[in-house]
PDB file of all heavy atoms in Angstrom:
ATOM      1  N   THR B 256     -10.073 -17.941   0.154  1.00 94.00           N
ATOM      2  CA  THR B 256     -10.322 -16.601  -0.384  1.00 94.00           C
ATOM      3  C   THR B 256     -11.817 -16.307  -0.351  1.00 94.00           C
ATOM      4  O   THR B 256     -12.623 -17.122  -0.800  1.00 94.00           O
ATOM      5  CB  THR B 256      -9.812 -16.496  -1.835  1.00 94.00           C
ATOM      6  OG1 THR B 256      -8.438 -16.859  -1.870  1.00 94.00           O
ATOM      7  CG2 THR B 256      -9.987 -15.091  -2.377  1.00 94.00           C
ATOM      8  N   ARG B 257     -12.185 -15.151   0.174  1.00 95.00           N
ATOM      9  CA  ARG B 257     -13.592 -14.763   0.259  1.00 95.00           C
ATOM     10  C   ARG B 257     -14.075 -14.297  -1.103  1.00 95.00           C
ATOM     11  O   ARG B 257     -13.377 -13.549  -1.810  1.00 95.00           O
ATOM     12  CB  ARG B 257     -13.752 -13.628   1.272  1.00 95.00           C
ATOM     13  CG  ARG B 257     -15.215 -13.208   1.521  1.00 95.00           C
ATOM     14  CD  ARG B 257     -15.881 -14.157   2.472  1.00 95.00           C
ATOM     15  NE  ARG B 257     -17.249 -13.747   2.795  1.00 95.00           N
ATOM     16  CZ  ARG B 257     -17.990 -14.357   3.715  1.00 95.00           C
ATOM     17  NH1 ARG B 257     -17.484 -15.363   4.400  1.00 95.00           N
ATOM     18  NH2 ARG B 257     -19.234 -13.962   3.949  1.00 95.00           N
ATOM     19  N   LEU B 258     -15.269 -14.721  -1.509  1.00 96.00           N
ATOM     20  CA  LEU B 258     -15.871 -14.275  -2.762  1.00 96.00           C
ATOM     21  C   LEU B 258     -16.912 -13.203  -2.467  1.00 96.00           C
ATOM     22  O   LEU B 258     -17.829 -13.421  -1.668  1.00 96.00           O
ATOM     23  CB  LEU B 258     -16.536 -15.446  -3.484  1.00 96.00           C
ATOM     24  CG  LEU B 258     -15.654 -16.652  -3.833  1.00 96.00           C
ATOM     25  CD1 LEU B 258     -16.480 -17.693  -4.580  1.00 96.00           C
ATOM     26  CD2 LEU B 258     -14.441 -16.233  -4.666  1.00 96.00           C
ATOM     27  N   PHE B 259     -16.759 -12.054  -3.088  1.00 97.00           N
ATOM     28  CA  PHE B 259     -17.755 -10.984  -2.995  1.00 97.00           C
ATOM     29  C   PHE B 259     -18.558 -11.049  -4.291  1.00 97.00           C
ATOM     30  O   PHE B 259     -18.118 -10.540  -5.322  1.00 97.00           O
ATOM     31  CB  PHE B 259     -17.085  -9.626  -2.826  1.00 97.00           C
ATOM     32  CG  PHE B 259     -16.516  -9.399  -1.447  1.00 97.00           C
ATOM     33  CD1 PHE B 259     -15.474 -10.175  -0.964  1.00 97.00           C
ATOM     34  CD2 PHE B 259     -17.046  -8.422  -0.625  1.00 97.00           C
ATOM     35  CE1 PHE B 259     -14.950  -9.978   0.302  1.00 97.00           C
ATOM     36  CE2 PHE B 259     -16.532  -8.210   0.658  1.00 97.00           C
ATOM     37  CZ  PHE B 259     -15.486  -9.001   1.122  1.00 97.00           C
ATOM     38  N   ALA B 260     -19.702 -11.706  -4.223  1.00 96.00           N
ATOM     39  CA  ALA B 260     -20.480 -12.013  -5.420  1.00 96.00           C
ATOM     40  C   ALA B 260     -21.457 -10.878  -5.718  1.00 96.00           C
ATOM     41  O   ALA B 260     -22.411 -10.647  -4.960  1.00 96.00           O
ATOM     42  CB  ALA B 260     -21.230 -13.326  -5.230  1.00 96.00           C
ATOM     43  N   GLY B 261     -21.217 -10.173  -6.822  1.00 96.00           N
ATOM     44  CA  GLY B 261     -22.088  -9.075  -7.227  1.00 96.00           C
ATOM     45  C   GLY B 261     -23.288  -9.615  -7.977  1.00 96.00           C
ATOM     46  O   GLY B 261     -23.206  -9.870  -9.180  1.00 96.00           O
ATOM     47  N   VAL B 262     -24.408  -9.805  -7.279  1.00 95.00           N
ATOM     48  CA  VAL B 262     -25.589 -10.428  -7.901  1.00 95.00           C
ATOM     49  C   VAL B 262     -26.729  -9.444  -8.113  1.00 95.00           C
ATOM     50  O   VAL B 262     -27.719  -9.773  -8.760  1.00 95.00           O
ATOM     51  CB  VAL B 262     -26.080 -11.621  -7.052  1.00 95.00           C
ATOM     52  CG1 VAL B 262     -24.996 -12.683  -6.916  1.00 95.00           C
ATOM     53  CG2 VAL B 262     -26.556 -11.176  -5.675  1.00 95.00           C
ATOM     54  N   VAL B 263     -26.624  -8.230  -7.558  1.00 95.00           N
ATOM     55  CA  VAL B 263     -27.697  -7.241  -7.679  1.00 95.00           C
ATOM     56  C   VAL B 263     -27.263  -6.194  -8.706  1.00 95.00           C
ATOM     57  O   VAL B 263     -26.174  -5.627  -8.585  1.00 95.00           O
ATOM     58  CB  VAL B 263     -27.996  -6.583  -6.315  1.00 95.00           C
ATOM     59  CG1 VAL B 263     -29.066  -5.503  -6.453  1.00 95.00           C
ATOM     60  CG2 VAL B 263     -28.426  -7.636  -5.300  1.00 95.00           C
ATOM     61  N   PRO B 264     -28.079  -5.926  -9.749  1.00 94.00           N
ATOM     62  CA  PRO B 264     -27.671  -4.982 -10.802  1.00 94.00           C
ATOM     63  C   PRO B 264     -27.261  -3.615 -10.250  1.00 94.00           C
ATOM     64  O   PRO B 264     -27.836  -3.127  -9.267  1.00 94.00           O
ATOM     65  CB  PRO B 264     -28.922  -4.861 -11.681  1.00 94.00           C
ATOM     66  CG  PRO B 264     -29.660  -6.140 -11.454  1.00 94.00           C
ATOM     67  CD  PRO B 264     -29.406  -6.515 -10.017  1.00 94.00           C
ATOM     68  N   GLY B 265     -26.265  -2.991 -10.904  1.00 93.00           N
ATOM     69  CA  GLY B 265     -25.730  -1.721 -10.434  1.00 93.00           C
ATOM     70  C   GLY B 265     -26.497  -0.507 -10.915  1.00 93.00           C
ATOM     71  O   GLY B 265     -26.240   0.605 -10.456  1.00 93.00           O
ATOM     72  N   THR B 266     -27.416  -0.701 -11.850  1.00 94.00           N
ATOM     73  CA  THR B 266     -28.287   0.395 -12.300  1.00 94.00           C
ATOM     74  C   THR B 266     -29.729  -0.071 -12.201  1.00 94.00           C
ATOM     75  O   THR B 266     -29.998  -1.273 -12.084  1.00 94.00           O
ATOM     76  CB  THR B 266     -27.977   0.805 -13.747  1.00 94.00           C
ATOM     77  OG1 THR B 266     -28.003  -0.366 -14.582  1.00 94.00           O
ATOM     78  CG2 THR B 266     -26.605   1.448 -13.866  1.00 94.00           C
ATOM     79  N   ASP B 267     -30.658   0.875 -12.236  1.00 91.00           N
ATOM     80  CA  ASP B 267     -32.070   0.560 -12.004  1.00 91.00           C
ATOM     81  C   ASP B 267     -32.534  -0.617 -12.868  1.00 91.00           C
ATOM     82  O   ASP B 267     -32.387  -0.600 -14.097  1.00 91.00           O
ATOM     83  CB  ASP B 267     -32.940   1.776 -12.315  1.00 91.00           C
ATOM     84  CG  ASP B 267     -32.704   2.906 -11.332  1.00 91.00           C
ATOM     85  OD1 ASP B 267     -31.541   3.122 -10.943  1.00 91.00           O
ATOM     86  OD2 ASP B 267     -33.684   3.573 -10.959  1.00 91.00           O
ATOM     87  N   ALA B 268     -33.079  -1.614 -12.205  1.00 93.00           N
ATOM     88  CA  ALA B 268     -33.568  -2.822 -12.873  1.00 93.00           C
ATOM     89  C   ALA B 268     -34.563  -3.495 -11.944  1.00 93.00           C
ATOM     90  O   ALA B 268     -34.504  -3.304 -10.722  1.00 93.00           O
ATOM     91  CB  ALA B 268     -32.410  -3.775 -13.184  1.00 93.00           C
ATOM     92  N   PRO B 269     -35.482  -4.272 -12.509  1.00 91.00           N
ATOM     93  CA  PRO B 269     -36.391  -5.019 -11.631  1.00 91.00           C
ATOM     94  C   PRO B 269     -35.597  -5.992 -10.762  1.00 91.00           C
ATOM     95  O   PRO B 269     -34.677  -6.648 -11.249  1.00 91.00           O
ATOM     96  CB  PRO B 269     -37.301  -5.776 -12.616  1.00 91.00           C
ATOM     97  CG  PRO B 269     -37.143  -5.072 -13.928  1.00 91.00           C
ATOM     98  CD  PRO B 269     -35.752  -4.521 -13.939  1.00 91.00           C
ATOM     99  N   LEU B 270     -35.934  -6.052  -9.478  1.00 91.00           N
ATOM    100  CA  LEU B 270     -35.248  -6.960  -8.567  1.00 91.00           C
ATOM    101  C   LEU B 270     -36.120  -8.193  -8.344  1.00 91.00           C
ATOM    102  O   LEU B 270     -37.291  -8.079  -7.997  1.00 91.00           O
ATOM    103  CB  LEU B 270     -34.962  -6.263  -7.234  1.00 91.00           C
ATOM    104  CG  LEU B 270     -33.987  -5.086  -7.307  1.00 91.00           C
ATOM    105  CD1 LEU B 270     -33.902  -4.363  -5.964  1.00 91.00           C
ATOM    106  CD2 LEU B 270     -32.610  -5.559  -7.737  1.00 91.00           C
ATOM    107  N   SER B 271     -35.530  -9.369  -8.554  1.00 83.00           N
ATOM    108  CA  SER B 271     -36.260 -10.609  -8.325  1.00 83.00           C
ATOM    109  C   SER B 271     -36.411 -10.820  -6.825  1.00 83.00           C
ATOM    110  O   SER B 271     -35.962  -9.994  -6.019  1.00 83.00           O
ATOM    111  CB  SER B 271     -35.491 -11.779  -8.948  1.00 83.00           C
ATOM    112  OG  SER B 271     -34.272 -11.976  -8.249  1.00 83.00           O
ATOM    113  N   ASP B 272     -37.043 -11.915  -6.445  1.00 89.00           N
ATOM    114  CA  ASP B 272     -37.089 -12.209  -5.016  1.00 89.00           C
ATOM    115  C   ASP B 272     -35.658 -12.512  -4.557  1.00 89.00           C
ATOM    116  O   ASP B 272     -34.809 -12.922  -5.360  1.00 89.00           O
ATOM    117  CB  ASP B 272     -38.006 -13.403  -4.745  1.00 89.00           C
ATOM    118  CG  ASP B 272     -37.460 -14.688  -5.329  1.00 89.00           C
ATOM    119  OD1 ASP B 272     -37.469 -14.830  -6.571  1.00 89.00           O
ATOM    120  OD2 ASP B 272     -36.997 -15.533  -4.544  1.00 89.00           O
ATOM    121  N   PRO B 273     -35.347 -12.299  -3.265  1.00 90.00           N
ATOM    122  CA  PRO B 273     -33.973 -12.491  -2.793  1.00 90.00           C
ATOM    123  C   PRO B 273     -33.405 -13.877  -3.083  1.00 90.00           C
ATOM    124  O   PRO B 273     -32.241 -14.000  -3.462  1.00 90.00           O
ATOM    125  CB  PRO B 273     -34.095 -12.238  -1.281  1.00 90.00           C
ATOM    126  CG  PRO B 273     -35.254 -11.314  -1.157  1.00 90.00           C
ATOM    127  CD  PRO B 273     -36.221 -11.742  -2.215  1.00 90.00           C
ATOM    128  N   ALA B 274     -34.222 -14.901  -2.942  1.00 88.00           N
ATOM    129  CA  ALA B 274     -33.743 -16.262  -3.217  1.00 88.00           C
ATOM    130  C   ALA B 274     -33.345 -16.409  -4.686  1.00 88.00           C
ATOM    131  O   ALA B 274     -32.365 -17.074  -5.021  1.00 88.00           O
ATOM    132  CB  ALA B 274     -34.812 -17.285  -2.843  1.00 88.00           C
ATOM    133  N   GLY B 275     -34.120 -15.751  -5.571  1.00 89.00           N
ATOM    134  CA  GLY B 275     -33.804 -15.817  -6.991  1.00 89.00           C
ATOM    135  C   GLY B 275     -32.494 -15.146  -7.322  1.00 89.00           C
ATOM    136  O   GLY B 275     -31.759 -15.572  -8.222  1.00 89.00           O
ATOM    137  N   SER B 276     -32.162 -14.080  -6.586  1.00 91.00           N
ATOM    138  CA  SER B 276     -30.924 -13.354  -6.851  1.00 91.00           C
ATOM    139  C   SER B 276     -29.683 -14.201  -6.585  1.00 91.00           C
ATOM    140  O   SER B 276     -28.636 -13.963  -7.179  1.00 91.00           O
ATOM    141  CB  SER B 276     -30.871 -12.082  -5.997  1.00 91.00           C
ATOM    142  OG  SER B 276     -31.846 -11.162  -6.418  1.00 91.00           O
ATOM    143  N   VAL B 277     -29.782 -15.149  -5.654  1.00 91.00           N
ATOM    144  CA  VAL B 277     -28.614 -15.968  -5.305  1.00 91.00           C
ATOM    145  C   VAL B 277     -28.731 -17.389  -5.844  1.00 91.00           C
ATOM    146  O   VAL B 277     -27.914 -18.252  -5.514  1.00 91.00           O
ATOM    147  CB  VAL B 277     -28.377 -15.986  -3.778  1.00 91.00           C
ATOM    148  CG1 VAL B 277     -27.905 -14.623  -3.301  1.00 91.00           C
ATOM    149  CG2 VAL B 277     -29.625 -16.415  -3.028  1.00 91.00           C
ATOM    150  N   MET B 278     -29.727 -17.621  -6.717  1.00 92.00           N
ATOM    151  CA  MET B 278     -29.879 -18.957  -7.286  1.00 92.00           C
ATOM    152  C   MET B 278     -28.628 -19.366  -8.060  1.00 92.00           C
ATOM    153  O   MET B 278     -28.160 -20.502  -7.983  1.00 92.00           O
ATOM    154  CB  MET B 278     -31.100 -18.988  -8.212  1.00 92.00           C
ATOM    155  CG  MET B 278     -31.463 -20.386  -8.722  1.00 92.00           C
ATOM    156  SD  MET B 278     -32.868 -20.317  -9.842  1.00 92.00           S
ATOM    157  CE  MET B 278     -34.096 -19.532  -8.798  1.00 92.00           C
ATOM    158  N   GLY B 279     -28.045 -18.415  -8.795  1.00 92.00           N
ATOM    159  CA  GLY B 279     -26.846 -18.727  -9.572  1.00 92.00           C
ATOM    160  C   GLY B 279     -25.670 -19.110  -8.688  1.00 92.00           C
ATOM    161  O   GLY B 279     -24.841 -19.944  -9.059  1.00 92.00           O
ATOM    162  N   VAL B 280     -25.589 -18.491  -7.500  1.00 93.00           N
ATOM    163  CA  VAL B 280     -24.506 -18.825  -6.568  1.00 93.00           C
ATOM    164  C   VAL B 280     -24.662 -20.272  -6.096  1.00 93.00           C
ATOM    165  O   VAL B 280     -23.701 -21.039  -6.040  1.00 93.00           O
ATOM    166  CB  VAL B 280     -24.505 -17.855  -5.364  1.00 93.00           C
ATOM    167  CG1 VAL B 280     -23.366 -18.201  -4.414  1.00 93.00           C
ATOM    168  CG2 VAL B 280     -24.385 -16.414  -5.843  1.00 93.00           C
ATOM    169  N   ARG B 281     -25.911 -20.654  -5.761  1.00 93.00           N
ATOM    170  CA  ARG B 281     -26.159 -22.045  -5.349  1.00 93.00           C
ATOM    171  C   ARG B 281     -25.821 -23.011  -6.479  1.00 93.00           C
ATOM    172  O   ARG B 281     -25.236 -24.070  -6.254  1.00 93.00           O
ATOM    173  CB  ARG B 281     -27.620 -22.218  -4.933  1.00 93.00           C
ATOM    174  CG  ARG B 281     -28.012 -21.457  -3.680  1.00 93.00           C
ATOM    175  CD  ARG B 281     -29.397 -21.920  -3.214  1.00 93.00           C
ATOM    176  NE  ARG B 281     -29.850 -21.164  -2.056  1.00 93.00           N
ATOM    177  CZ  ARG B 281     -30.661 -20.120  -2.099  1.00 93.00           C
ATOM    178  NH1 ARG B 281     -31.084 -19.686  -3.285  1.00 93.00           N
ATOM    179  NH2 ARG B 281     -31.034 -19.500  -1.009  1.00 93.00           N
ATOM    180  N   THR B 282     -26.207 -22.643  -7.708  1.00 92.00           N
ATOM    181  CA  THR B 282     -25.927 -23.504  -8.866  1.00 92.00           C
ATOM    182  C   THR B 282     -24.426 -23.682  -9.058  1.00 92.00           C
ATOM    183  O   THR B 282     -23.942 -24.796  -9.315  1.00 92.00           O
ATOM    184  CB  THR B 282     -26.555 -22.896 -10.132  1.00 92.00           C
ATOM    185  OG1 THR B 282     -27.966 -22.763  -9.939  1.00 92.00           O
ATOM    186  CG2 THR B 282     -26.285 -23.773 -11.350  1.00 92.00           C
ATOM    187  N   LEU B 283     -23.675 -22.583  -8.936  1.00 93.00           N
ATOM    188  CA  LEU B 283     -22.214 -22.653  -9.050  1.00 93.00           C
ATOM    189  C   LEU B 283     -21.652 -23.591  -7.989  1.00 93.00           C
ATOM    190  O   LEU B 283     -20.786 -24.418  -8.274  1.00 93.00           O
ATOM    191  CB  LEU B 283     -21.614 -21.255  -8.877  1.00 93.00           C
ATOM    192  CG  LEU B 283     -20.092 -21.181  -8.734  1.00 93.00           C
ATOM    193  CD1 LEU B 283     -19.404 -21.622 -10.030  1.00 93.00           C
ATOM    194  CD2 LEU B 283     -19.655 -19.766  -8.352  1.00 93.00           C
TER     195      LEU B 283
END
Side-chain angles (χ1 to χ4, degrees):
T256 305
R257 184 80 177 187
L258 302 182
F259 286 64
V262 300
V263 177
T266 52
D267 293 39
L270 295 173
S271 67
D272 66 289
S276 292
V277 290
M278 188 182 303
V280 181
R281 294 191 183 97
T282 301
L283 170 66

